Coordinates of all heavy atoms in Angstrom, one line a residue:
M1 N -12.3 -80.8 11.1 CA -11.2 -79.9 10.9 C -11.5 -78.7 11.9 O -12.6 -78.1 11.8 CB -11.1 -79.4 9.5 CG -10.0 -78.4 9.3 SD -9.9 -77.8 7.5 CE -9.7 -79.4 6.7
I2 N -10.6 -78.5 12.8 CA -10.8 -77.4 13.8 C -9.9 -76.2 13.4 O -8.7 -76.4 13.3 CB -10.5 -77.8 15.2 CG1 -11.5 -79.0 15.6 CG2 -10.7 -76.7 16.2 CD1 -11.2 -79.6 16.9
R3 N -10.5 -75.1 13.2 CA -9.7 -73.9 12.8 C -9.8 -72.8 13.9 O -10.8 -72.7 14.5 CB -10.2 -73.4 11.5 CG -10.2 -74.4 10.4 CD -10.5 -73.8 9.1 NE -9.3 -73.9 8.3 CZ -9.2 -73.6 7.1 NH1 -10.2 -73.1 6.4 NH2 -8.0 -73.7 6.4
G4 N -8.7 -72.1 14.0 CA -8.7 -71.1 15.0 C -7.9 -69.8 14.6 O -7.6 -69.0 15.5
Y5 N -7.7 -69.7 13.4 CA -6.8 -68.6 13.0 C -7.5 -67.5 12.1 O -6.9 -66.5 11.9 CB -5.6 -69.1 12.2 CG -6.1 -69.8 10.9 CD1 -6.3 -69.1 9.7 CD2 -6.3 -71.2 10.8 CE1 -6.7 -69.6 8.6 CE2 -6.7 -71.8 9.7 CZ -6.9 -71.0 8.6 OH -7.3 -71.6 7.4
D6 N -8.7 -67.7 11.7 CA -9.3 -66.8 10.7 C -9.3 -65.3 11.1 O -9.0 -64.5 10.4 CB -10.7 -67.3 10.4 CG -10.7 -68.4 9.4 OD1 -9.7 -68.7 8.9 OD2 -11.8 -69.0 9.3
A7 N -9.7 -65.1 12.4 CA -9.9 -63.7 12.7 C -8.8 -63.3 13.8 O -9.0 -62.2 14.4 CB -11.3 -63.5 13.3
F8 N -7.8 -64.1 14.0 CA -6.9 -63.7 15.0 C -5.4 -63.8 14.5 O -5.2 -64.3 13.4 CB -7.0 -64.8 16.2 CG -8.4 -64.8 16.8 CD1 -9.3 -65.7 16.3 CD2 -8.7 -63.8 17.7 CE1 -10.6 -65.7 16.8 CE2 -10.0 -63.8 18.2 CZ -10.9 -64.7 17.8
G9 N -4.5 -63.2 15.2 CA -3.2 -63.2 14.8 C -2.8 -61.9 14.1 O -3.6 -61.0 13.9
R10 N -1.6 -61.9 13.5 CA -1.0 -60.7 12.9 C -1.6 -60.5 11.5 O -1.8 -61.4 10.7 CB 0.5 -60.9 12.8 CG 1.2 -59.7 12.3 CD 2.7 -59.9 12.4 NE 3.3 -58.8 11.7 CZ 4.5 -58.9 11.2 NH1 5.2 -59.9 11.4 NH2 5.0 -57.8 10.6
K11 N -2.0 -59.3 11.3 CA -2.5 -58.9 10.0 C -1.5 -58.0 9.3 O -0.7 -57.4 9.9 CB -3.8 -58.1 10.1 CG -4.9 -58.8 11.0 CD -5.7 -59.7 10.2 CE -6.9 -60.3 10.9 NZ -6.7 -60.8 12.2
P12 N -1.5 -58.0 8.0 CA -0.6 -57.1 7.3 C -0.8 -55.6 7.6 O -1.9 -55.2 7.8 CB -0.9 -57.4 5.8 CG -2.2 -58.0 5.7 CD -2.4 -58.7 7.1
P13 N 0.3 -54.9 7.7 CA 0.1 -53.4 8.1 C -0.6 -52.7 6.9 O -0.4 -53.1 5.7 CB 1.5 -52.9 8.3 CG 2.4 -53.9 7.6 CD 1.7 -55.2 7.6
V14 N -1.3 -51.7 7.2 CA -2.0 -50.9 6.2 C -1.7 -49.4 6.4 O -1.6 -48.9 7.5 CB -3.5 -51.1 6.2 CG1 -3.8 -52.5 5.7 CG2 -4.1 -50.9 7.6
T15 N -1.5 -48.7 5.3 CA -1.2 -47.2 5.4 C -2.2 -46.4 4.6 O -2.1 -45.2 4.7 CB 0.2 -46.9 4.9 OG1 0.4 -47.4 3.6 CG2 1.3 -47.6 5.8
N16 N -3.1 -47.0 3.9 CA -4.1 -46.3 3.1 C -5.4 -47.2 2.9 O -5.3 -48.4 3.1 CB -3.6 -45.8 1.8 CG -3.0 -46.9 0.9 OD1 -3.7 -47.9 0.7 ND2 -1.8 -46.7 0.4
S17 N -6.4 -46.6 2.4 CA -7.7 -47.3 2.3 C -7.6 -48.4 1.2 O -8.3 -49.4 1.3 CB -8.8 -46.3 2.0 OG -8.6 -45.7 0.7
Y18 N -6.8 -48.2 0.2 CA -6.6 -49.2 -0.9 C -6.1 -50.5 -0.2 O -6.6 -51.6 -0.6 CB -5.7 -48.7 -1.9 CG -5.2 -49.7 -2.9 CD1 -6.0 -50.2 -3.9 CD2 -3.9 -50.3 -2.7 CE1 -5.5 -51.2 -4.7 CE2 -3.5 -51.3 -3.5 CZ -4.3 -51.8 -4.6 OH -3.8 -52.8 -5.4
Q19 N -5.1 -50.4 0.6 CA -4.5 -51.6 1.3 C -5.5 -52.3 2.1 O -5.6 -53.5 2.2 CB -3.3 -51.2 2.1 CG -2.1 -50.8 1.2 CD -0.9 -50.3 2.0 OE1 -1.1 -49.9 3.2 NE2 0.2 -50.3 1.4
V20 N -6.4 -51.5 2.8 CA -7.4 -52.1 3.7 C -8.4 -52.9 2.8 O -8.7 -54.0 3.1 CB -8.2 -51.0 4.5 CG1 -9.4 -51.6 5.2 CG2 -7.3 -50.3 5.5
R21 N -8.9 -52.3 1.7 CA -9.8 -52.9 0.9 C -9.2 -54.1 0.2 O -9.8 -55.2 0.0 CB -10.4 -52.0 -0.2 CG -11.4 -51.0 0.5 CD -12.1 -50.0 -0.5 NE -11.1 -49.0 -0.9 CZ -10.6 -48.9 -2.1 NH1 -10.8 -49.8 -3.0 NH2 -9.7 -48.0 -2.4
R22 N -7.9 -54.0 -0.2 CA -7.2 -55.1 -0.9 C -7.1 -56.3 0.1 O -7.3 -57.5 -0.3 CB -5.9 -54.7 -1.4 CG -5.2 -55.7 -2.2 CD -3.9 -55.1 -2.9 NE -2.9 -56.1 -2.7 CZ -1.8 -56.0 -2.0 NH1 -1.5 -54.9 -1.4 NH2 -0.9 -57.0 -2.0
T23 N -6.7 -56.0 1.3 CA -6.5 -57.1 2.3 C -7.8 -57.8 2.6 O -7.8 -59.0 2.8 CB -6.0 -56.4 3.7 OG1 -4.8 -55.8 3.4 CG2 -5.9 -57.5 4.7
C24 N -9.0 -57.1 2.5 CA -10.3 -57.7 2.9 C -11.1 -58.0 1.6 O -12.3 -58.3 1.8 CB -11.0 -56.8 3.8 SG -10.1 -56.6 5.4
N25 N -10.5 -58.1 0.5 CA -11.2 -58.4 -0.8 C -12.4 -57.5 -1.1 O -13.5 -58.0 -1.5 CB -11.7 -59.9 -0.7 CG -10.6 -60.9 -0.6 OD1 -9.4 -60.6 -1.0 ND2 -10.8 -62.0 -0.1
L26 N -12.2 -56.2 -0.9 CA -13.3 -55.3 -1.3 C -12.7 -54.3 -2.4 O -12.9 -53.1 -2.3 CB -13.7 -54.5 -0.1 CG -14.7 -55.1 0.8 CD1 -15.0 -54.3 2.1 CD2 -16.0 -55.4 0.1
M27 N -12.1 -54.9 -3.4 CA -11.5 -54.0 -4.4 C -12.6 -53.5 -5.3 O -13.7 -54.1 -5.5 CB -10.6 -54.9 -5.3 CG -9.5 -55.5 -4.5 SD -8.3 -54.3 -3.9 CE -7.5 -53.8 -5.4
T28 N -12.4 -52.3 -5.9 CA -13.3 -51.7 -6.8 C -12.6 -51.7 -8.2 O -11.4 -51.9 -8.3 CB -13.6 -50.2 -6.5 OG1 -12.5 -49.5 -6.5 CG2 -14.2 -50.1 -5.1
S29 N -13.4 -51.5 -9.2 CA -12.9 -51.5 -10.6 C -11.9 -50.4 -10.8 O -11.0 -50.5 -11.6 CB -14.0 -51.4 -11.6 OG -14.9 -52.4 -11.4
F30 N -12.0 -49.4 -10.0 CA -11.1 -48.2 -10.2 C -9.7 -48.5 -9.5 O -8.8 -47.7 -9.7 CB -11.7 -47.0 -9.6 CG -13.0 -46.6 -10.3 CD1 -14.2 -46.8 -9.6 CD2 -13.0 -46.2 -11.6 CE1 -15.4 -46.5 -10.3 CE2 -14.2 -45.9 -12.2 CZ -15.4 -46.1 -11.6
D31 N -9.6 -49.6 -8.8 CA -8.3 -50.0 -8.2 C -7.4 -50.6 -9.2 O -6.2 -50.8 -9.0 CB -8.5 -50.9 -7.0 CG -9.2 -50.2 -5.8 OD1 -8.9 -49.0 -5.6 OD2 -10.0 -50.8 -5.1
Y32 N -7.9 -51.0 -10.3 CA -7.1 -51.7 -11.3 C -6.8 -50.6 -12.4 O -7.6 -50.0 -13.0 CB -7.9 -52.8 -12.0 CG -8.3 -53.9 -11.0 CD1 -9.6 -53.9 -10.5 CD2 -7.4 -54.8 -10.6 CE1 -10.0 -54.9 -9.6 CE2 -7.8 -55.8 -9.6 CZ -9.1 -55.8 -9.2 OH -9.5 -56.8 -8.3
T33 N -5.5 -50.5 -12.6 CA -5.0 -49.4 -13.5 C -5.4 -49.6 -15.0 O -5.9 -48.7 -15.6 CB -3.5 -49.2 -13.4 OG1 -2.9 -50.5 -13.6 CG2 -3.1 -48.7 -12.0
S34 N -5.3 -50.8 -15.5 CA -5.7 -51.1 -16.9 C -6.7 -52.2 -16.9 O -6.4 -53.3 -17.1 CB -4.4 -51.4 -17.7 OG -3.8 -52.6 -17.2
S35 N -7.9 -51.8 -16.7 CA -9.0 -52.8 -16.5 C -9.8 -52.9 -17.8 O -10.1 -51.9 -18.4 CB -9.9 -52.4 -15.4 OG -11.0 -53.3 -15.3
D36 N -10.1 -54.1 -18.2 CA -11.0 -54.3 -19.3 C -12.3 -54.8 -18.9 O -13.1 -55.5 -19.6 CB -10.3 -55.4 -20.2 CG -9.1 -54.9 -20.9 OD1 -8.9 -53.7 -21.1 OD2 -8.2 -55.8 -21.2
I37 N -12.7 -54.4 -17.7 CA -14.0 -54.8 -17.2 C -15.1 -54.0 -17.9 O -15.1 -52.8 -18.1 CB -14.1 -54.4 -15.7 CG1 -13.1 -55.3 -14.9 CG2 -15.5 -54.7 -15.1 CD1 -13.0 -54.9 -13.4
P38 N -16.1 -54.7 -18.5 CA -17.2 -54.0 -19.2 C -17.9 -53.1 -18.3 O -18.0 -53.3 -17.1 CB -18.2 -55.2 -19.6 CG -17.3 -56.4 -19.5 CD -16.3 -56.2 -18.5
E39 N -18.5 -52.0 -18.8 CA -19.1 -50.9 -18.1 C -20.2 -51.4 -17.2 O -20.4 -50.9 -16.0 CB -19.6 -49.8 -19.0 CG -20.0 -48.6 -18.3 CD -20.3 -47.5 -19.3 OE1 -19.6 -47.4 -20.3 OE2 -21.2 -46.7 -18.9
D40 N -21.0 -52.4 -17.6 CA -22.1 -52.9 -16.8 C -21.6 -53.6 -15.5 O -22.4 -53.8 -14.6 CB -22.9 -53.9 -17.6 CG -23.7 -53.3 -18.7 OD1 -23.8 -52.0 -18.7 OD2 -24.1 -54.0 -19.6
F41 N -20.4 -54.0 -15.5 CA -19.8 -54.7 -14.3 C -18.9 -54.0 -13.5 O -18.2 -54.5 -12.6 CB -19.2 -56.1 -14.8 CG -20.1 -57.0 -15.5 CD1 -20.1 -57.1 -16.9 CD2 -21.1 -57.7 -14.8 CE1 -21.0 -57.9 -17.5 CE2 -22.0 -58.5 -15.4 CZ -22.0 -58.6 -16.8
I42 N -18.7 -52.7 -13.7 CA -17.8 -51.9 -13.0 C -18.3 -51.7 -11.5 O -19.5 -51.4 -11.3 CB -17.6 -50.5 -13.7 CG1 -16.7 -50.7 -14.9 CG2 -16.9 -49.5 -12.7 CD1 -16.5 -49.5 -15.7
V43 N -17.5 -51.9 -10.6 CA -17.8 -51.7 -9.2 C -17.1 -50.5 -8.7 O -15.9 -50.3 -8.8 CB -17.3 -53.0 -8.4 CG1 -17.6 -52.8 -6.9 CG2 -18.0 -54.2 -8.9
S44 N -17.9 -49.6 -8.1 CA -17.4 -48.4 -7.5 C -17.4 -48.4 -6.0 O -18.0 -49.3 -5.4 CB -18.1 -47.1 -8.0 OG -19.4 -47.1 -7.4
Y45 N -16.8 -47.5 -5.4 CA -16.7 -47.4 -3.9 C -18.2 -47.3 -3.3 O -18.5 -47.9 -2.3 CB -15.9 -46.3 -3.4 CG -15.7 -46.2 -1.9 CD1 -14.8 -47.1 -1.3 CD2 -16.3 -45.3 -1.1 CE1 -14.6 -47.1 0.1 CE2 -16.1 -45.3 0.2 CZ -15.3 -46.2 0.8 OH -15.1 -46.2 2.2
D46 N -19.0 -46.6 -4.1 CA -20.4 -46.5 -3.6 C -21.2 -47.8 -3.7 O -22.3 -47.9 -3.0 CB -21.2 -45.5 -4.5 CG -20.6 -44.1 -4.3 OD1 -20.1 -43.8 -3.2 OD2 -20.7 -43.2 -5.2
D47 N -20.7 -48.8 -4.4 CA -21.4 -50.1 -4.5 C -21.1 -51.0 -3.2 O -21.7 -52.0 -3.0 CB -21.0 -50.9 -5.7 CG -21.5 -50.2 -7.0 OD1 -22.6 -49.7 -7.0 OD2 -20.7 -50.2 -8.0
I48 N -20.1 -50.6 -2.5 CA -19.7 -51.3 -1.2 C -20.8 -50.9 -0.2 O -21.1 -49.7 0.0 CB -18.3 -50.9 -0.8 CG1 -17.3 -51.4 -1.8 CG2 -18.0 -51.5 0.6 CD1 -15.9 -50.9 -1.5
P49 N -21.4 -51.9 0.5 CA -22.4 -51.5 1.5 C -21.9 -50.5 2.5 O -20.8 -50.5 2.9 CB -22.7 -52.9 2.2 CG -22.3 -53.9 1.2 CD -21.1 -53.3 0.4
K50 N -22.8 -49.6 2.9 CA -22.4 -48.5 3.8 C -21.9 -49.0 5.1 O -21.0 -48.3 5.7 CB -23.7 -47.6 4.1 CG -24.3 -47.0 2.9 CD -23.4 -45.9 2.3 CE -24.0 -45.2 1.1 NZ -23.1 -44.7 0.2
H51 N -22.3 -50.1 5.6 CA -21.8 -50.6 6.9 C -20.4 -51.0 6.9 O -19.7 -51.2 7.9 CB -22.7 -51.6 7.5 CG -22.6 -53.0 6.8 ND1 -23.4 -53.2 5.7 CD2 -21.9 -54.1 7.1 CE1 -23.1 -54.5 5.3 NE2 -22.2 -55.0 6.2
L52 N -19.9 -51.2 5.6 CA -18.5 -51.6 5.5 C -17.5 -50.4 5.2 O -16.3 -50.6 5.1 CB -18.3 -52.6 4.4 CG -19.1 -54.0 4.6 CD1 -18.9 -54.9 3.4 CD2 -18.6 -54.6 5.9
H53 N -18.1 -49.2 5.1 CA -17.2 -48.0 4.9 C -16.5 -47.7 6.2 O -17.0 -48.0 7.2 CB -18.1 -46.8 4.4 CG -18.5 -47.0 3.0 ND1 -19.0 -45.9 2.3 CD2 -18.7 -48.0 2.2 CE1 -19.4 -46.3 1.1 NE2 -19.2 -47.6 1.0
Q54 N -15.4 -47.0 6.0 CA -14.7 -46.6 7.2 C -15.5 -45.5 8.0 O -16.0 -44.6 7.4 CB -13.3 -46.0 6.8 CG -12.4 -45.6 8.0 CD -11.1 -45.1 7.6 OE1 -10.9 -44.7 6.4 NE2 -10.2 -45.0 8.5
K55 N -15.6 -45.7 9.3 CA -16.3 -44.7 10.1 C -15.4 -43.5 10.4 O -14.1 -43.6 10.3 CB -16.6 -45.4 11.5 CG -17.6 -46.5 11.3 CD -18.0 -47.2 12.5 CE -18.9 -48.4 12.2 NZ -19.2 -49.2 13.4
T56 N -15.9 -42.4 10.7 CA -15.2 -41.2 10.8 C -14.1 -41.2 11.9 O -13.0 -40.7 11.7 CB -16.1 -40.0 11.2 OG1 -16.9 -40.3 12.3 CG2 -17.1 -39.7 10.0
D57 N -14.3 -41.9 13.0 CA -13.3 -41.9 14.0 C -12.5 -43.3 14.1 O -11.8 -43.6 15.0 CB -13.9 -41.7 15.4 CG -15.0 -42.7 15.7 OD1 -15.5 -43.4 14.8 OD2 -15.4 -42.9 16.9
E58 N -12.6 -44.0 13.0 CA -12.0 -45.3 12.9 C -10.6 -45.3 12.3 O -10.4 -44.8 11.2 CB -12.9 -46.3 12.2 CG -12.6 -47.7 12.2 CD -13.7 -48.5 11.6 OE1 -14.3 -48.1 10.6 OE2 -14.0 -49.6 12.2
S59 N -9.6 -45.9 12.9 CA -8.3 -45.9 12.3 C -8.2 -46.9 11.2 O -9.1 -47.8 11.1 CB -7.2 -46.3 13.4 OG -7.4 -47.6 13.8
L60 N -7.2 -46.9 10.3 CA -7.1 -47.8 9.2 C -7.0 -49.3 9.8 O -7.6 -50.2 9.2 CB -6.0 -47.5 8.3 CG -6.1 -46.3 7.5 CD1 -4.8 -45.9 6.8 CD2 -7.2 -46.4 6.5
G61 N -6.2 -49.4 10.8 CA -6.1 -50.8 11.4 C -7.4 -51.3 12.0 O -7.7 -52.5 11.8
D62 N -8.1 -50.5 12.7 CA -9.4 -50.9 13.2 C -10.4 -51.2 12.1 O -11.2 -52.2 12.2 CB -10.0 -49.8 14.2 CG -9.2 -49.7 15.5 OD1 -8.4 -50.7 15.8 OD2 -9.4 -48.7 16.2
W63 N -10.4 -50.4 11.1 CA -11.3 -50.6 9.9 C -10.9 -52.0 9.3 O -11.8 -52.7 8.9 CB -11.2 -49.5 9.0 CG -12.1 -49.5 7.8 CD1 -13.3 -50.0 7.7 CD2 -11.8 -49.1 6.4 NE1 -13.9 -49.9 6.4 CE2 -12.9 -49.3 5.7 CE3 -10.7 -48.5 5.9 CZ2 -13.0 -49.0 4.3 CZ3 -10.7 -48.1 4.5 CH2 -11.9 -48.4 3.8
R64 N -9.7 -52.2 9.1 CA -9.2 -53.5 8.5 C -9.7 -54.7 9.3 O -10.2 -55.6 8.8 CB -7.7 -53.5 8.3 CG -7.2 -54.8 7.8 CD -5.8 -55.2 8.2 NE -5.7 -55.1 9.7 CZ -4.6 -54.6 10.3 NH1 -3.5 -54.3 9.6 NH2 -4.5 -54.5 11.6
D65 N -9.5 -54.6 10.6 CA -9.9 -55.7 11.5 C -11.4 -55.9 11.5 O -11.9 -57.0 11.5 CB -9.5 -55.4 12.9 CG -8.0 -55.4 13.1 OD1 -7.3 -55.9 12.2 OD2 -7.5 -54.9 14.1
R66 N -12.2 -54.8 11.4 CA -13.7 -54.9 11.4 C -14.1 -55.5 10.0 O -15.0 -56.4 10.0 CB -14.3 -53.5 11.5 CG -15.8 -53.6 11.6 CD -16.4 -52.2 12.0 NE -16.1 -51.1 11.1 CZ -16.7 -50.9 9.9 NH1 -17.7 -51.6 9.6 NH2 -16.4 -49.8 9.2
L67 N -13.5 -55.1 8.9 CA -13.8 -55.7 7.6 C -13.4 -57.1 7.6 O -14.1 -58.0 7.0 CB -13.1 -54.9 6.5 CG -13.6 -53.5 6.1 CD1 -12.8 -53.0 5.0 CD2 -15.0 -53.6 5.8
W68 N -12.3 -57.5 8.2 CA -11.9 -58.9 8.3 C -12.9 -59.7 8.9 O -13.2 -60.8 8.4 CB -10.5 -58.9 9.0 CG -9.8 -60.2 8.8 CD1 -10.0 -61.4 9.5 CD2 -8.7 -60.5 7.9 NE1 -9.1 -62.4 9.0 CE2 -8.3 -61.8 8.1 CE3 -8.1 -59.7 7.0 CZ2 -7.3 -62.4 7.3 CZ3 -7.0 -60.2 6.3 CH2 -6.7 -61.6 6.5
L69 N -13.5 -59.2 10.0 CA -14.5 -60.0 10.8 C -15.9 -60.0 10.1 O -16.6 -61.0 10.1 CB -14.6 -59.5 12.2 CG -13.4 -59.8 13.1 CD1 -13.5 -59.1 14.4 CD2 -13.3 -61.3 13.4
Q70 N -16.3 -58.8 9.6 CA -17.6 -58.7 9.1 C -17.8 -59.0 7.7 O -18.9 -59.2 7.2 CB -18.1 -57.2 9.4 CG -18.3 -56.9 10.8 CD -18.8 -55.5 11.0 OE1 -18.9 -54.7 10.1 NE2 -19.1 -55.1 12.2
H71 N -16.7 -59.0 6.9 CA -16.8 -59.3 5.5 C -16.0 -60.5 5.0 O -16.5 -61.4 4.5 CB -16.4 -58.0 4.7 CG -16.4 -58.3 3.2 ND1 -17.6 -58.5 2.4 CD2 -15.4 -58.4 2.3 CE1 -17.3 -58.7 1.2 NE2 -15.9 -58.7 1.1
R72 N -14.7 -60.4 5.2 CA -13.8 -61.4 4.7 C -14.0 -62.8 5.3 O -14.1 -63.8 4.6 CB -12.3 -61.0 4.9 CG -11.4 -62.0 4.1 CD -9.9 -61.6 4.3 NE -9.1 -62.4 3.5 CZ -8.9 -63.7 3.7 NH1 -9.4 -64.4 4.7 NH2 -8.1 -64.4 2.8
T73 N -14.1 -62.9 6.6 CA -14.3 -64.2 7.2 C -15.6 -64.8 6.8 O -15.6 -66.0 6.3 CB -14.2 -64.1 8.7 OG1 -12.9 -63.6 9.1 CG2 -14.4 -65.4 9.4
P74 N -16.8 -64.2 6.9 CA -18.0 -64.9 6.5 C -18.2 -65.0 5.0 O -18.9 -66.0 4.6 CB -19.1 -64.0 7.1 CG -18.5 -62.7 7.3 CD -17.1 -62.9 7.5
I75 N -17.6 -64.2 4.2 CA -17.9 -64.3 2.7 C -16.8 -65.0 2.0 O -17.0 -66.1 1.5 CB -18.0 -62.8 2.1 CG1 -19.0 -62.0 2.8 CG2 -18.2 -62.9 0.6 CD1 -20.4 -62.5 2.7
T76 N -15.5 -64.6 2.1 CA -14.4 -65.2 1.4 C -14.0 -66.5 2.0 O -13.9 -67.5 1.3 CB -13.2 -64.2 1.3 OG1 -13.6 -63.0 0.8 CG2 -12.1 -64.8 0.5
T77 N -13.8 -66.5 3.3 CA -13.3 -67.8 3.9 C -14.4 -68.8 3.8 O -14.0 -70.0 3.6 CB -12.9 -67.5 5.4 OG1 -11.9 -66.4 5.4 CG2 -12.3 -68.7 6.0
A78 N -15.6 -68.5 4.1 CA -16.7 -69.5 4.0 C -16.8 -70.1 2.6 O -17.0 -71.3 2.4 CB -18.0 -68.8 4.4
A79 N -16.6 -69.3 1.6 CA -16.6 -69.8 0.2 C -15.5 -70.7 -0.1 O -15.6 -71.7 -0.7 CB -16.6 -68.6 -0.8
L80 N -14.3 -70.5 0.5 CA -13.1 -71.3 0.3 C -13.3 -72.7 1.1 O -12.8 -73.7 0.7 CB -11.9 -70.6 0.8 CG -11.5 -69.4 0.0 CD1 -10.3 -68.7 0.7 CD2 -11.1 -69.8 -1.4
E81 N -14.1 -72.7 2.1 CA -14.3 -73.9 2.9 C -15.4 -74.8 2.2 O -15.4 -76.0 2.4 CB -14.9 -73.5 4.3 CG -14.0 -72.7 5.1 CD -12.7 -73.4 5.6 OE1 -12.5 -74.6 5.2 OE2 -12.0 -72.8 6.3
D82 N -16.2 -74.2 1.4 CA -17.3 -74.9 0.8 C -16.9 -76.2 0.1 O -17.6 -77.2 0.2 CB -18.1 -74.0 -0.1 CG -19.5 -74.5 -0.5 OD1 -20.2 -75.0 0.4 OD2 -19.8 -74.5 -1.7
I83 N -15.8 -76.2 -0.6 CA -15.5 -77.3 -1.4 C -15.1 -78.6 -0.6 O -15.4 -79.7 -0.9 CB -14.3 -77.0 -2.4 CG1 -14.2 -78.1 -3.4 CG2 -13.0 -76.8 -1.6 CD1 -13.4 -77.7 -4.6
K84 N -14.6 -78.3 0.7 CA -14.3 -79.5 1.5 C -15.4 -79.9 2.4 O -15.3 -81.0 3.0 CB -13.1 -79.2 2.5 CG -12.4 -77.9 2.4 CD -11.3 -77.8 3.4 CE -11.1 -76.4 3.7 NZ -10.3 -75.6 3.0
L85 N -16.5 -79.2 2.4 CA -17.6 -79.6 3.4 C -18.3 -80.9 3.0 O -18.9 -81.4 3.9 CB -18.6 -78.4 3.4 CG -18.1 -77.2 4.1 CD1 -19.2 -76.1 4.1 CD2 -17.7 -77.5 5.5
A86 N -18.1 -81.4 1.8 CA -18.7 -82.7 1.5 C -17.9 -83.8 2.1 O -18.4 -84.9 2.3 CB -18.7 -82.8 0.0
Y87 N -16.7 -83.5 2.6 CA -15.8 -84.5 3.1 C -15.5 -84.4 4.6 O -15.2 -85.3 5.3 CB -14.5 -84.6 2.4 CG -14.7 -84.7 0.9 CD1 -14.7 -83.5 0.1 CD2 -15.1 -85.9 0.3 CE1 -14.9 -83.6 -1.3 CE2 -15.3 -86.0 -1.1 CZ -15.2 -84.9 -1.9 OH -15.5 -85.0 -3.2
V88 N -15.5 -83.2 5.1 CA -15.1 -82.9 6.5 C -16.1 -81.9 7.1 O -16.7 -81.1 6.4 CB -13.7 -82.4 6.7 CG1 -12.7 -83.4 6.2 CG2 -13.5 -81.1 6.0
E89 N -16.1 -81.8 8.4 CA -16.8 -80.7 9.1 C -15.8 -79.7 9.5 O -14.8 -80.1 10.1 CB -17.6 -81.3 10.3 CG -18.3 -80.2 11.1 CD -19.1 -80.7 12.3 OE1 -19.0 -81.9 12.5 OE2 -19.7 -79.9 13.0
V90 N -16.0 -78.5 9.2 CA -15.1 -77.4 9.6 C -15.8 -76.6 10.7 O -16.9 -76.1 10.5 CB -14.8 -76.5 8.4 CG1 -13.9 -75.4 8.8 CG2 -14.2 -77.3 7.2
I91 N -15.1 -76.5 11.8 CA -15.6 -75.6 12.9 C -14.5 -74.6 13.3 O -13.3 -74.9 13.1 CB -16.0 -76.5 14.1 CG1 -14.8 -77.2 14.7 CG2 -17.1 -77.4 13.8 CD1 -15.1 -77.9 16.0
N92 N -15.0 -73.5 13.7 CA -14.0 -72.5 14.2 C -14.5 -72.0 15.5 O -15.3 -71.1 15.7 CB -14.0 -71.3 13.2 CG -12.8 -70.4 13.4 OD1 -12.3 -70.3 14.5 ND2 -12.4 -69.8 12.3
P93 N -14.0 -72.7 16.6 CA -14.6 -72.4 18.0 C -14.3 -71.0 18.4 O -15.1 -70.5 19.3 CB -13.8 -73.4 18.8 CG -12.7 -73.8 18.1 CD -13.0 -73.7 16.6
L94 N -13.4 -70.3 17.9 CA -13.1 -68.9 18.4 C -14.1 -67.9 17.7 O -14.1 -66.8 18.2 CB -11.7 -68.5 18.0 CG -10.6 -69.4 18.7 CD1 -9.2 -69.0 18.2 CD2 -10.7 -69.2 20.2
L95 N -14.8 -68.3 16.7 CA -15.8 -67.5 16.1 C -17.2 -67.9 16.3 O -18.2 -67.2 15.9 CB -15.6 -67.4 14.6 CG -14.3 -66.8 14.1 CD1 -14.1 -66.8 12.6 CD2 -14.2 -65.3 14.6
S96 N -17.4 -69.0 17.0 CA -18.8 -69.5 17.2 C -19.1 -69.5 18.7 O -18.3 -69.4 19.5 CB -19.0 -70.9 16.7 OG -18.1 -71.8 17.4
Q97 N -20.4 -69.6 19.0 CA -20.9 -69.5 20.4 C -20.8 -70.9 20.9 O -21.0 -71.2 22.0 CB -22.3 -69.0 20.5 CG -22.3 -67.5 20.0 CD -23.8 -67.0 20.0 OE1 -24.7 -67.7 20.3 NE2 -23.9 -65.7 19.7

């Protein structure tokens, strides 16, 4: 299976940090208005690794694109591919050397 769309193409527009984190699967427990998450499992913004925080001179769109490449593609997309790897080889030539 040859894929070439993961990190390219049109991304949803973003107007705030919540939308950026939601798009890239970096939600915190405080993003859910009525959450029943036990206190031991609450994820705060400080729990997100520092290298994934928005840089001071970075626009929301650039931050979203960086999170898409550095977090969502290798973490979320790779996990979704895992179930098919027993049957097919998945390559993404636009992301590999």
Side-chain angles (χ1 to χ4, degrees):
M1 180 180 301
I2 300 174
R3 303 189 113 169
Y5 62 85
D6 282 347
F8 302 95
R10 187 173 170 202
K11 306 275 186 313
V14 290
T15 57
N16 57 50
S17 64
Y18 167 78
Q19 290 175 341
V20 171
R21 288 184 286 104
R22 187 172 138 246
T23 300
C24 297
N25 298 336
L26 278 176
M27 301 293 287
T28 64
S29 301
F30 301 108
D31 292 325
Y32 302 101
T33 54
S34 59
S35 176
D36 293 331
I37 298 173
E39 191 171 326
D40 291 344
F41 299 105
I42 290 178
V43 176
S44 72
Y45 186 74
D46 294 333
D47 294 324
I48 297 173
K50 299 289 183 207
H51 73 278
L52 297 178
H53 287 198
Q54 185 178 14
K55 296 177 182 174
T56 54
D57 59 341
E58 191 171 38
S59 70
L60 288 173
D62 289 344
W63 183 35
R64 178 210 48 217
D65 293 344
R66 184 171 60 83
L67 287 180
W68 196 277
L69 288 170
Q70 293 180 355
H71 175 72
R72 189 182 187 285
T73 297
I75 305 298
T76 305
T77 305
L80 294 172
E81 301 290 3
D82 194 47
I83 196 163
K84 355 179 208 274
L85 291 178
Y87 308 101
V88 298
E89 180 180 357
V90 178
I91 62 170
N92 198 330
L94 298 175
L95 295 177
S96 66
Q97 297 176 356

